[in-house]
Amino acid sequence: MKFRLWPRSLIGQLVFAVALMLFVAQAINFVLLVRGQKQQALAHGGGMAVARIVDALDRDRRGEFVPDRRGRRGDPEVRDRAQKLVISDRPVPLPAGAVPMRDLADYVANLLNDADVAAQSVDAWALPQRPRLRANVPGRTVVVSARIDGRYIAVRGRIPTSGNRLQGFLVWQTLSLYLLLLVPIMVIAWRVAAPLRDLTRAARANPALRDATPVEEEGPSDVRDLITAFNAYRARIGTMLADKDRMLGAVGHDLRTPLASLRVRVEQIDDDVLRDKMIASIEEMTAMLTDILALARSGAGTEAREPVALRGLVEELAADYRERGKDVTVGVAADAAVMARPLLLRRALRNLIDNAAAYGACARLSVERGQGEVRIIVSDDGPGLTDDQIRTLIEPFARGEQSRNRATGGSGLGLSIARDIAEGEGGELTLRNRAGGGLDAVITLPTAAQA
């Protein structure tokens, strides 16, 4: 399964975007705070060290220090325990585990340079914390050593550390921001998304259904205006479809009446050959008119949807065709039901069976159950279709055989009627060639539980 990092829903995208931006902002804030804390620690520890080094130089020049001849290495040293200061001719020894602090050393060197103190070298170390002091004494013990005029001046001090407190503060700050920002955004997004979902469901519904209720106008004003415009637009569509149905009814009545009258007159002709040809032409015109009206009304009608058992339906259709001498059989038919208009669904299947029997010599019906859907398959043993034919034959008046003779086919409306009926029932019609030859016409419909 493909992993999608970016959500598809409106609420998901808003929450994800805000959460991501808050995380980035807090990361930048964390970096700036850490840098500021580091500068503060350097200023505190380095400033104190420089002040004590400069004071030691002044006192040493005035002769206030008395060398301690009992230095650890036998060298004369100046020690001031109160100031934690050592002046020696050699580098001050460090305990094991001391960690160099290059940043602190560079900071002290810059301060000494600003104070016009010429230091040949400056070093700094962080000493290991003694266990008994870790909980009671905050910060870290550091030693700063500066080599000035050939002598080493080392001072001991402490620099503050508050990393744990800073991290805890940032965690609580981030949680507070998420709570204060994401909750209102989720509420606003839900108020926008809920009516949009209702609008989407209404837009996907078949506009030919006359029982479609208007979408409730709710949400922000922009969304309410959109829903109002959609309801008005759908009402206009319903009015136009109703006018079309009335017009088609009038056309059908006005055309069938003269055709019926014409046939009555034609039947009075004495020439049998001429009479049969004229009657065949009138019947062809009547059948074509019926197909055109069925195509125009395929998505409309007042027939109510009801559960349809597909196995019984295909077996009944196959029996009807066999009684008329057609090679129509039923293969594997699963027990499945759909919510559909029975007469329209029956007409769609008859159109597919007629095509299979006319162009593929036989028709085999089967029913397959899928995940939340049911497939009704009409198979034949014909030559199949090219990809271009599959794309074009479901359009109105498109035929594989180009003549308009009903002896070799219909008016080219059968597949279009079947497609429109399938889509009107919430499904689809697909045509596909089988690997071993022949064509499958498949009507896919949602199961009765989801219809």
Side-chain angles (χ1 to χ4, degrees), residues 245-428:
D245 291 343
R246 286 193 295 269
M247 180 190 68
L248 290 175
V251 169
H253 179 270
D254 293 343
L255 288 180
R256 284 194 178 98
T257 299
L259 286 174
S261 177
L262 181 61
R263 176 163 182 166
V264 171
R265 293 187 178 93
V266 168
E267 288 178 348
Q268 298 176 3
I269 297 176
D270 295 333
D271 189 339
D272 294 339
V273 176
L274 179 61
R275 184 178 64 248
D276 292 341
K277 288 183 178 180
M278 295 180 69
I279 290 176
S281 297
I282 294 174
E283 290 178 347
E284 183 177 353
M285 293 175 63
T286 303
M288 185 179 297
L289 175 62
T290 301
D291 287 344
I292 293 174
L293 293 177
L295 175 64
R297 293 174 172 173
S298 59
T302 58
E303 184 183 7
R305 282 187 170 87
E306 61 183 60
V308 178
L310 296 181
R311 183 174 181 178
L313 176 62
V314 296
E315 290 177 348
E316 181 182 349
L317 287 173
D320 291 342
Y321 275 91
R322 284 197 298 270
E323 290 178 358
R324 293 154 48 188
K326 301 290 186 179
D327 186 5
V328 179
T329 59
V330 177
V332 179
D335 288 325
V338 296
M339 290 294 296
R341 289 170 286 188
L343 294 180
L344 285 179
L345 182 58
R346 186 184 298 269
R347 180 178 183 86
L349 291 176
R350 284 188 180 276
N351 288 351
L352 298 181
I353 295 172
D354 289 340
N355 282 345
Y359 299 107
C362 67
R364 291 185 303 275
L365 309 181
S366 59
V367 179
E368 296 180 356
R369 183 190 295 272
Q371 184 66 32
E373 63 183 19
V374 179
R375 292 180 292 274
I376 311 170
I377 305 173
V378 180
S379 305
D380 63 50
D381 293 333
L385 298 172
T386 65
D387 293 340
D388 291 337
Q389 288 176 323
I390 289 177
R391 286 192 296 269
T392 58
L393 284 181
I394 60 175
E395 298 300 325
F397 302 104
R399 293 184 57 194
E401 195 276 321
Q402 295 302 319
S403 72
R404 292 296 170 185
N405 185 1
R406 294 191 72 88
T408 59
S411 58
L413 296 174
L415 289 177
S416 298
I417 294 172
R419 178 197 62 180
D420 290 350
I421 291 175
E423 292 178 352
E425 302 303 319
E428 62 177 352

Side-chain angles (χ1 to χ4, degrees), residues 45-383:
M48 293 294 294
V50 169
R52 291 162 64 185
I53 290 174
V54 172
D55 180 67
L57 288 174
D58 293 339
R59 294 173 61 189
D60 186 52
R61 293 191 184 101
R62 294 195 299 268
E64 296 182 8
F65 288 126
V66 178
D68 183 0
R69 299 280 180 185
R70 296 173 298 174
R72 296 180 182 178
R73 294 168 295 179
D75 299 326
E77 295 180 351
V78 173
R79 291 181 175 272
D80 188 340
R81 298 186 180 275
Q83 295 294 329
K84 298 181 180 179
L85 172 70
V86 176
I87 302 176
S88 175
D89 294 336
R90 293 187 179 185
V92 177
L94 297 170
V99 179
M101 298 184 65
R102 189 68 259 173
D103 294 342
L104 181 59
D106 294 338
Y107 187 83
V108 171
N110 291 331
L111 291 181
L112 290 175
N113 185 54
D114 294 339
D116 294 330
V117 176
Q120 287 76 41
S121 64
V122 178
D123 296 296
W125 300 270
L127 301 184
Q129 184 84 319
R130 287 181 289 180
R132 63 184 181 86
L133 296 179
R134 287 178 183 174
N136 300 324
V137 181
R140 301 184 64 183
T141 302
V142 296
V143 173
V144 178
S145 175
R147 186 169 180 265
I148 303 173
D149 296 334
R151 304 180 71 191
Y152 293 90
I153 303 177
V155 295
R156 178 178 299 203
R158 300 189 69 81
I159 59 174
T161 57
S162 58
N164 294 333
R165 287 186 297 173
L166 176 63
Q167 294 175 4
F169 168 75
L170 287 176
V171 168
W172 282 109
Q173 185 187 56
T174 303
L175 293 177
S176 300
L177 288 175
Y178 279 151
L179 184 64
L180 293 175
L181 292 179
L182 291 183
V183 171
I185 288 176
M186 291 178 65
V187 172
I188 294 173
W190 181 83
R191 291 190 68 241
V192 174
L196 287 180
R197 285 193 294 268
D198 295 338
L199 185 63
T200 301
R201 285 193 293 268
R204 288 174 177 171
N206 187 358
L209 299 178
R210 303 297 189 267
D211 57 350
T213 58
V215 182
E216 183 178 356
E217 299 176 8
E218 58 181 356
S221 60
D222 297 338
V223 179
R224 290 199 303 270
D225 293 341
L226 175 61
I227 296 176
T228 302
F230 174 80
N231 288 333
Y233 185 70
R234 190 165 63 169
R236 289 195 295 270
I237 292 177
T239 302
M240 289 188 294
L241 291 176
D243 293 341
K244 181 205 70 171
D245 291 343
R246 286 193 295 269
M247 180 190 68
L248 290 175
V251 169
H253 179 270
D254 293 343
L255 288 180
R256 284 194 178 98
T257 299
L259 286 174
S261 177
L262 181 61
R263 176 163 182 166
V264 171
R265 293 187 178 93
V266 168
E267 288 178 348
Q268 298 176 3
I269 297 176
D270 295 333
D271 189 339
D272 294 339
V273 176
L274 179 61
R275 184 178 64 248
D276 292 341
K277 288 183 178 180
M278 295 180 69
I279 290 176
S281 297
I282 294 174
E283 290 178 347
E284 183 177 353
M285 293 175 63
T286 303
M288 185 179 297
L289 175 62
T290 301
D291 287 344
I292 293 174
L293 293 177
L295 175 64
R297 293 174 172 173
S298 59
T302 58
E303 184 183 7
R305 282 187 170 87
E306 61 183 60
V308 178
L310 296 181
R311 183 174 181 178
L313 176 62
V314 296
E315 290 177 348
E316 181 182 349
L317 287 173
D320 291 342
Y321 275 91
R322 284 197 298 270
E323 290 178 358
R324 293 154 48 188
K326 301 290 186 179
D327 186 5
V328 179
T329 59
V330 177
V332 179
D335 288 325
V338 296
M339 290 294 296
R341 289 170 286 188
L343 294 180
L344 285 179
L345 182 58
R346 186 184 298 269
R347 180 178 183 86
L349 291 176
R350 284 188 180 276
N351 288 351
L352 298 181
I353 295 172
D354 289 340
N355 282 345
Y359 299 107
C362 67
R364 291 185 303 275
L365 309 181
S366 59
V367 179
E368 296 180 356
R369 183 190 295 272
Q371 184 66 32
E373 63 183 19
V374 179
R375 292 180 292 274
I376 311 170
I377 305 173
V378 180
S379 305
D380 63 50
D381 293 333

